[in-house]
Amino acid sequence: MQHRTIVLGAGYTGAIAAGRLARRLRREDIAITLVNSEPDFVERVRMHQLAAGQDLKLRPLSEMFAGTGVELKLAKVTGVDVDRKTVTVVDANGAEELAYDTLVYALGSGWNTQGIPGVAEHAHEIASRPGALRLRERLAHLDAGLAVVVVGGGLTGLEAATEIAEARPDLDVALAASGGLGDWLSPKGRGHLRNVFDKLGITVYEHSAVTAVEADHVATADGNTIPAAVTVWTAGFAVHPITKATALEVTGTGQIVVDRTMRSVSHPDVYAVGDAAYAMGPADKPLRMSCASGGPGAWQAADAIAARLTGGKLPNVPIRYFNQCVSLGHREGLIQYVTADDRTKQAVLTGRLAAVYKELVCKGAAWAVANPTLALPTRRRRVAREKAATTSAVERLA
């Protein structure tokens, strides 16, 4: 029998994990099913561009995985039973239960309303393609001179505010941040960020935590009211709630606790990658939700699964950081260099060169999905069934 592996989610991490596994093991030994609710690969790091009116290249998953041996199943995941080792999905034909031997959980994260009144009813999100397309439609019909407020001073908020301001200079764009503008950046990085915001005419409300969102304004903790014909909510992300309904060991936010091979500490047949995984990085600090963490985590998980199934050597490549890349519209960017454990260094790259750098990073991330072994020599190995079964049994008892 083939070893049944199910990968949930075909974002950056899920797609990389599925493709890398398919290129590591022989097809007659493993059956890989990639479950995703959309037929196309979504470049999530470009959703602010899509919302601002840019047209993105379509990347059908069926074409990306053609000839790889990965079976694509278009369905929505509705439940995971890690004790019975089954996944419940719903597609055009109704509900179905899929059984697995190994599960890779890569459903990622969505927007987080933080429980703030009015966010779900009145704000727009760009954590998903449907959300970005709804915002795109709203902005396209927004009259000149009206106000757009982006809530959230993180990377997504900075990119959304600058992209919208550049695409629609006739709008009154503002950013509301609970802290200072770019307060995690180096002094040079903060200075460049302020210069770009000034050039684009973006009004910044610093230390202004939003406490409510209405149809025509947002309210802040200091009692101010900021006019907003459109509110874009980027104040954090939350993992899919499915994890909390399972027997998996998860954090209070629902992230699956994994070891350094991205395997669940409570259920050895389950791996988690991307935003859904709670993994420790350098200096024993949790890895942040980002492509910088997700991609290497997906490689680690796929190689660990392959090693355990074939009796090979487990990967031991520390996941570390090098920089934080921020696009500030088409012509400007900011590359903030960081330590391995994500602490800010003094060095930054700014301007047009930084914008080109960020664009190459985005293209590289999409390329990595279609080329999960990063052009390295690939040798498909046989699954050592007896050894894999023995190892699994021992690990269950441990």
Side-chain angles (χ1 to χ4, degrees):
M1 292 179 62
Q2 290 178 304
H3 187 89
R4 300 164 300 177
T5 300
I6 295 179
V7 181
L8 304 182
Y12 290 99
T13 57
I16 288 174
R20 195 173 180 94
L21 262 180
R23 287 166 172 80
R24 284 285 187 246
L25 303 172
R26 295 193 180 188
R27 294 185 188 178
E28 59 265 34
D29 290 340
I30 188 168
I32 303 172
T33 302
L34 179 59
V35 182
N36 200 59
S37 59
E38 294 191 56
D40 301 316
F41 170 70
V42 177
E43 292 186 84
R44 184 170 174 179
V45 295
R46 295 189 187 273
M47 289 301 95
H48 60 288
Q49 296 174 239
L50 181 64
Q54 296 181 41
D55 293 322
L56 303 182
K57 178 182 178 181
L58 286 179
R59 300 177 184 274
L61 291 167
S62 58
E63 295 180 10
M64 293 175 68
F65 286 95
T68 64
V70 175
E71 177 189 354
L72 178 63
K73 186 171 186 61
L74 297 179
K76 179 180 179 181
V77 179
T78 58
V80 176
D81 189 328
V82 292
D83 293 324
R84 294 179 55 240
K85 298 176 66 172
T86 60
V87 176
T88 304
V89 301
V90 175
D91 60 14
N93 298 317
E96 182 180 359
E97 193 173 79
L98 308 176
Y100 66 82
D101 297 306
T102 297
L103 178 70
V104 180
Y105 188 99
L107 289 181
S109 62
W111 74 322
N112 186 358
T113 66
Q114 307 282 2
I116 301 300
V119 173
E121 296 81 3
H122 303 300
H124 288 266
E125 54 94 0
I126 55 173
S128 67
R129 183 164 65 174
L133 288 173
R134 285 191 292 269
L135 176 57
R136 177 191 180 106
E137 180 70 13
R138 180 72 179 96
L139 292 174
H141 294 90
L142 198 62
D143 293 335
L146 292 180
V148 175
V149 174
V150 177
V151 180
L155 301 182
T156 304
L158 300 181
E159 293 189 330
T162 51
E163 198 75 42
I164 294 170
E166 183 181 86
R168 290 290 307 273
D170 58 324
L171 297 176
D172 182 10
V173 180
L175 178 87
S178 59
L181 180 64
D183 54 8
W184 74 93
L185 299 170
S186 66
K188 185 177 179 180
R190 290 196 300 272
H192 181 71
L193 183 61
R194 288 188 183 279
N195 287 337
V196 173
F197 268 57
D198 288 343
K199 289 178 182 178
L200 292 173
I202 301 172
T203 303
V204 180
Y205 296 90
E206 298 181 88
H207 308 289
S208 298
V210 172
T211 55
V213 177
E214 301 292 345
D216 60 353
H217 71 273
V218 301
T220 63
D222 54 10
N224 287 335
T225 297
I226 305 173
V230 173
T231 299
V232 184
W233 189 266
T234 69
F237 298 98
V239 299
H240 200 291
I242 284 180
T243 56
K244 288 190 175 182
T246 70
L248 290 165
E249 182 175 334
V250 299
T251 65
T253 59
Q255 287 180 293
I256 300 170
V257 182
V258 297
D259 63 18
R260 294 189 184 275
T261 66
M262 311 309 290
R263 185 173 63 167
S264 164
V265 298
S266 63
H267 290 74
D269 300 312
V270 178
Y271 291 72
V273 293
D275 290 354
Y278 183 84
M280 303 306 291
D284 286 327
K285 291 170 59 177
L287 297 174
R288 61 179 163 87
M289 293 182 177
S290 66
C291 281
S293 307
W299 304 331
Q300 193 94 318
D303 289 351
I305 293 169
R308 288 187 168 108
L309 290 178
T310 61
K313 183 179 179 181
L314 285 173
N316 186 27
V317 181
I319 299 176
R320 56 154 298 163
Y321 298 102
F322 296 93
N323 52 47
Q324 294 181 8
C325 304
V326 192
S327 65
L328 302 173
H330 270 117
R331 295 177 291 274
E332 284 282 357
L334 172 62
I335 310 301
Q336 174 66 65
Y337 295 100
V338 299
T339 61
D341 60 344
D342 213 26
R343 289 177 291 112
T344 300
K345 293 182 177 180
Q346 291 301 313
V348 296
L349 181 67
T350 61
R352 179 61 181 169
L353 188 57
V356 172
Y357 186 110
K358 173 62 188 293
E359 177 62 20
L360 290 175
V361 168
C362 293
K363 288 182 177 179
W367 183 88
V369 172
N371 300 271
T373 54
L374 296 179
L376 295 174
T378 302
R379 179 170 63 90
R380 289 188 172 88
R381 293 170 286 177
R382 295 302 303 266
V383 171
R385 300 184 186 283
E386 292 184 5
K387 184 174 181 61
T390 302
T391 300
S392 179
V394 171
E395 288 169 341
R396 284 181 180 277
L397 294 173

